[in-house]
Amino acid sequence: MDTIICGIQQIGVGVTDVVEAYNWYIKAFGCDVMMADADGVAERMLPYTGGKPRRRRAVLAVNLQGGGGFEIWQPMDGNIHQMEQPACLGDLGTFAGRVKTLDINRAYLHFKSLEGASVLCEIVATPQGRSHFFISDPYGNVFDIVEDGFRFMELGLPTGGIDGELLGVSDMDRSMDFYSRLLGFDTVEYDRTDVFDDFKNLNGGNGRFRRVLLSRSAAPEGPLSPVYGPGHIELVQALDRTPVKLFEGRWWGDPGFIQICFDVKNMKGIRERALALGHDFVCDGGEDFKMDKADGHFTYVEDPDGSLIEFVETFKIPLSEKLGIYLNLKKRNEHKSLPVLLLKALKFMRIKGIQ
């Protein structure tokens, strides 16, 4: 079996109130197709939970206009570790999630009028001339809203889903090599060093940075690839200060960005790639893992700066929980996508909120 990176499945965000946060994320980002709502004990991430199982509630949902999803994660044990200081641009780890939009002006007006959203700058241009702007959610997490031509289906929403992340690194060349060889992000869309106008309103954004935008030359493959579409990772290295590690002193699931997750096929092949780079799995959930009505095999690696990357090989997802209809992905050709009409039927799982 070939090793396939199907696309960016989701970005994980830790919160202190999953009901409040997820209902806000539906309004903000249209992630209203519920794939899982799991309330249970996380027993397989002990290196990142103080060596003890951690009770949590996690909601996984997508926006069918296209892109990756959101995993909104609340620790339920009351032992929460907040970041001591707000994240600064260039700190090691995920500084911002990237979100797709087909209409940047409509998205800008949407967030300007959305209660709880803070628009951090006007619409500006990236180094390659693409329009974007930054916002903060009610919990201090930053998102980069980027104009993107990809659309899976039209639902009349101002944004699509996750396009990737903006990630702080300490050694740009080392990180570029890692993300290219492990994940296939082998195309450099820009590589610039400067003081950037579009960063100036971000915390710590007035310094000098090297920033590199990466994408994958390989066409998306796999069952859900038509929904994910292409993705991007923007690596940012601070050149005039020593960055701190954003995950320092925090546990997996604490408030803030947790990980970026990739949908994959052939977990054994992924591990072989990671081992060749000296980055073995730091956690392996095994093939018997279940998240609500979905199940699969999840693993984690750390990038060269210790930022967490999750891999999920999905075996089953619900199509209609009420009718007991599920998609069994184990028996399908791993290269081929599910029929588009079948994927579009996921729109019947759209919800208005949770309790």
Side-chain angles (χ1 to χ4, degrees):
M1 180 189 293
D2 294 336
T3 297
I4 302 170
I5 308 291
C6 303
I8 295 172
Q9 188 200 75
Q10 41 94 349
I11 195 166
V13 186
V15 298
T16 57
D17 186 330
V18 68
V19 174
E20 175 191 274
Y22 176 55
N23 289 338
W24 188 88
Y25 274 57
I26 290 178
K27 296 175 184 177
F29 302 118
C31 52
D32 57 5
V33 175
M34 174 79 72
M35 305 303 291
D37 183 356
D39 188 344
V41 178
E43 300 176 318
R44 310 185 189 194
M45 292 294 292
L46 300 186
Y48 299 94
T49 57
K52 298 179 181 179
R54 189 170 210 196
R55 183 166 173 256
R56 57 89 176 100
R57 182 179 178 186
V59 173
L60 175 61
V62 298
N63 177 331
L64 282 182
Q65 290 196 159
F70 295 77
E71 185 178 49
I72 314 302
W73 209 100
Q74 179 188 348
M76 305 297 284
D77 56 11
N79 191 3
I80 293 175
H81 312 82
Q82 300 279 1
M83 283 189 289
E84 293 185 1
Q85 300 292 333
C88 283
L89 184 64
D91 283 346
L92 307 180
T94 302
F95 178 82
R98 289 172 56 98
V99 174
K100 299 174 182 289
T101 182
L102 201 63
D103 186 337
I104 195 73
N105 293 298
R106 183 184 175 202
Y108 181 81
L109 293 175
H110 165 67
F111 286 108
K112 286 287 284 187
S113 63
L114 180 64
E115 184 178 357
S118 298
V119 176
L120 302 179
C121 66
E122 301 298 314
I123 296 173
V124 289
T126 69
Q128 67 182 163
R130 185 170 293 183
S131 295
H132 75 139
F133 62 95
F134 291 95
I135 70 153
S136 174
D137 70 10
Y139 320 104
N141 302 303
V142 176
F143 291 89
D144 186 3
I145 315 301
V146 184
E147 195 162 50
D148 185 287
F150 176 76
R151 177 66 53 91
F152 173 62
M153 67 182 299
E154 179 56 58
L155 295 172
L157 301 170
T159 76
I162 288 294
D163 178 64
E165 65 178 339
L166 190 158
L167 182 75
V169 301
S170 63
D171 183 324
M172 181 62 73
D173 294 326
R174 180 181 64 176
S175 292
M176 289 172 65
D177 180 69
F178 174 85
Y179 281 92
S180 173
R181 292 170 63 190
L182 181 62
L183 296 165
F185 281 82
D186 54 357
T187 299
V188 177
E189 298 202 7
Y190 56 74
D191 182 349
R192 305 285 176 82
T193 299
D194 208 339
V195 176
F196 295 97
D197 286 342
D198 61 331
F199 280 174
K200 65 183 180 182
N201 290 324
L202 302 177
N203 191 34
N206 287 317
R208 187 166 175 266
F209 299 92
R210 181 180 175 189
R211 60 193 290 195
V212 176
L213 184 68
L214 301 176
S215 60
R216 302 180 72 240
S217 61
E221 294 183 279
L224 301 177
S225 58
V227 178
Y228 300 140
H232 298 81
I233 294 177
E234 184 165 17
L235 305 176
V236 176
Q237 181 180 353
L239 299 177
D240 51 10
R241 69 179 184 86
T242 300
V244 301
K245 186 176 179 181
L246 290 174
F247 223 79
E248 197 70 45
R250 297 169 58 223
W251 287 0
W252 181 69
D254 280 336
F257 290 110
I258 307 169
Q259 84 275 316
I260 191 167
C261 175
F262 291 86
D263 187 358
V264 303
K265 288 293 183 182
N266 185 9
M267 194 66 78
K268 180 180 178 181
I270 293 292
R271 186 173 193 183
E272 290 172 354
R273 281 192 194 180
L275 281 169
L277 295 171
H279 290 259
D280 194 6
F281 291 165
V282 292
C283 290
D284 187 339
E287 295 191 16
D288 61 338
F289 177 75
K290 297 184 184 301
M291 182 173 177
D292 195 20
K293 299 299 187 293
D295 63 35
H297 183 188
F298 80 87
T299 63
Y300 278 80
V301 298
E302 291 185 353
D303 83 353
D305 291 299
S307 301
L308 284 172
I309 300 167
E310 183 181 13
F311 299 111
V312 172
E313 186 166 7
T314 304
F315 300 146
K316 183 181 74 172
I317 60 173
L319 184 61
S320 174
E321 187 175 339
K322 291 182 179 179
L323 298 177
I325 301 174
Y326 300 88
L327 296 176
N328 185 338
L329 305 182
K330 262 190 168 182
K331 300 178 181 180
R332 304 190 64 89
N333 184 319
E334 64 269 13
H335 292 275
K336 291 184 178 181
S337 71
L338 291 163
V340 169
L341 287 178
L342 187 60
L343 290 172
K344 288 186 175 181
L346 292 170
K347 68 182 180 181
F348 297 111
M349 294 171 58
R350 297 177 73 191
I351 63 173
K352 295 183 178 180
I354 62 171
Q355 297 181 347

